[in-house]
């Protein structure tokens, strides 16, 4: 199945990038490198979705969190969640679809699961993998929950990705018309990564992964002071004098209560040294 706009025109790196793909496709490692090399703040959907004990939010709450993310001026959104792909794609300037073969994704999931199970996991710390700390959703990591809820469910999702989730994503992308770059191999992903880094609107912030924001506030990464990013939304240009990692109120109505849940960028240890994707 061909993705819409898979030959999207090249140009300046958008300030909002949605990264989609099967479990085990390597999209999270791709996102970590993209964030490190462009300075765009990274948001993992798993951080927004999962709560301690692998508990899920209600539909209304999940939609509320997605809306809060989409309203931010700059982001890399890492995660599949096909049912919410359309609002993310509509808000994004570019969708990256990492579509590796299902068998390769399944094999990667098995290897990762075996690595995690061989590693002792302690509350508040990330389990170790072959390349260093492994990504685990923030609230699960802090609560010391097991990093894999069901390997069988993950394998089923990876093997059926093209027949199920990708069909939903494909239809959503057609409705939004957002440019899409599809990567079927790691080399294609590395080429795209290098291209996005070369055309990034500003160099990386010195503080890419600040401490989590308090409820009702968020952290943003931005261009150096006095340097406006071309194509940046008006609300982003208005903040040029702020420090890149300065907290900033978000969604405060007149009565002073937060109108949105806290949406904070990636702070996971796995972001420190991502090595999976290499430049070609």
């Amino acid at each position: 199945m061909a993705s819409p706009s898979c030959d999207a025109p090249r140009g300046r790196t958008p300030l909002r990038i949605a990264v989609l793909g099967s479990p085990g496709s390597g999209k999270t490692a791709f996102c970590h490198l993209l964030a490190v090399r462009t300075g765009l703040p990274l948001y993992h959907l798993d951080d927004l979705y999962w709560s301690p004990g692998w508990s899920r939010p209600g539909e209304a709450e999940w939609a509320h969190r997605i809306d809060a993310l989409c309203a931010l001026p700059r982001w890399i959104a890492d995660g599949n969640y096909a049912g919410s792909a359309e609002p993310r794609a509509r808000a994004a300037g570019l969708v990256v679809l990492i579509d590796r073969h299902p068998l390769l994704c399944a094999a990667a999931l098995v290897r990762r699961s075996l690595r995690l199970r061989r590693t002792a996991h302690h509350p508040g710390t990330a389990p170790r993998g072959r390349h260093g700390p492994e990504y685990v959703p923030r609230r699960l990591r802090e609560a010391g929950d097991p990093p894999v809820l069901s390997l069988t469910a993950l394998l089923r999702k990876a093997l059926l990705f093209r027949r199920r989730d990708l069909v939903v994503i494909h239809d959503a992308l057609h409705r939004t018309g957002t440019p899409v770059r599809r990567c079927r191999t790691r080399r294609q992903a590395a080429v795209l990564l290098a291209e996005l880094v070369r055309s990034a609107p500003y160099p990386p912030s010195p503080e890419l992964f600040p401490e989590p924001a308090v409820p009702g506030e968020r952290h943003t990464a931005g261009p150096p002071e006095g340097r406006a990013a071309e194509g940046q939304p008006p609300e982003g240009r208005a903040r040029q004098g702020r420090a890149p990692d300065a907290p900033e109120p978000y969604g405060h109505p007149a009565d002073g209560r937060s109108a949105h849940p806290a949406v904070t960028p990636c702070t996971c240890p796995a972001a420190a040294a991502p090595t999976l994707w290499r430049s070609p």
Side-chain angles (χ1 to χ4, degrees):
M1 179 185 300
S3 288
S5 306
C6 57
D7 293 322
R10 279 61 168 168
R12 185 173 291 275
T13 300
L15 297 178
R16 294 171 173 170
I17 302 174
V19 181
L20 309 175
S22 166
S25 63
K27 62 183 180 295
T28 297
F30 176 90
C31 288
H32 278 143
L33 276 177
L34 184 61
V36 166
R37 296 181 182 181
T38 64
L40 291 172
L42 169 59
Y43 297 84
H44 299 291
L45 294 190
D46 281 347
D47 285 349
L48 302 182
Y49 190 81
W50 294 109
S51 294
W54 288 93
S55 60
R56 296 174 170 87
E59 291 186 9
E61 175 62 21
W62 177 235
H64 195 52
R65 295 176 188 179
I66 291 295
D67 289 343
L69 170 64
C70 292
L72 301 179
R74 294 182 298 275
W75 41 257
I76 299 168
D78 164 39
N80 205 39
Y81 294 90
S84 66
E86 184 167 348
R88 283 178 282 133
R90 197 175 298 281
L94 175 69
V95 173
V96 175
L97 176 60
I98 300 181
D99 184 23
R100 298 185 71 205
H101 193 282
L103 291 178
L104 294 176
C105 295
L109 288 172
V110 171
R111 290 193 298 269
R112 180 175 185 267
S113 178
L114 291 175
R115 290 196 304 269
L116 292 177
R117 290 179 180 182
R118 286 196 299 263
T119 304
H121 182 47
H122 303 285
T125 64
R128 303 288 299 183
R130 181 176 56 181
H131 298 295
E134 291 273 4
Y135 167 72
V136 175
R138 178 182 297 147
R139 295 182 182 91
L140 302 181
R141 183 176 74 244
E142 293 171 348
D145 288 315
V148 178
L149 179 61
S150 170
L151 177 59
T152 301
L154 280 175
L155 290 174
R156 186 184 303 115
K157 196 172 185 66
L159 293 172
L160 297 177
F161 175 75
R162 289 181 174 175
R163 294 170 54 187
R164 294 184 178 178
D165 285 16
L166 188 56
V167 174
V168 177
I169 291 170
H170 185 266
D171 292 342
L173 297 180
H174 266 300
R175 288 191 293 270
T176 64
T178 303
V180 179
R181 299 292 297 277
R182 188 176 192 173
C183 302
R184 294 182 180 273
T185 66
R186 288 186 176 181
R187 179 170 180 80
Q188 290 177 351
V191 169
L192 175 58
L193 177 65
E195 180 184 321
L196 293 174
V197 170
R198 284 195 302 269
S199 59
Y202 46 79
S205 165
E207 298 291 340
L208 294 176
F209 304 108
E211 292 298 316
V214 298
E217 295 185 341
R218 61 184 174 85
H219 291 267
T220 60
E225 184 175 354
R227 181 176 176 181
E230 185 176 321
Q232 189 172 346
E235 64 271 27
R237 290 194 296 267
R239 292 191 303 270
Q240 290 299 319
R242 302 182 63 87
D245 59 337
E248 178 175 304
Y250 175 64
H252 287 276
D255 61 4
R257 294 176 301 172
S258 175
H260 297 281
V263 178
T264 56
C266 171
T267 59
C268 62
T275 59
L276 178 62
W277 301 96
R278 295 181 176 89
S279 299

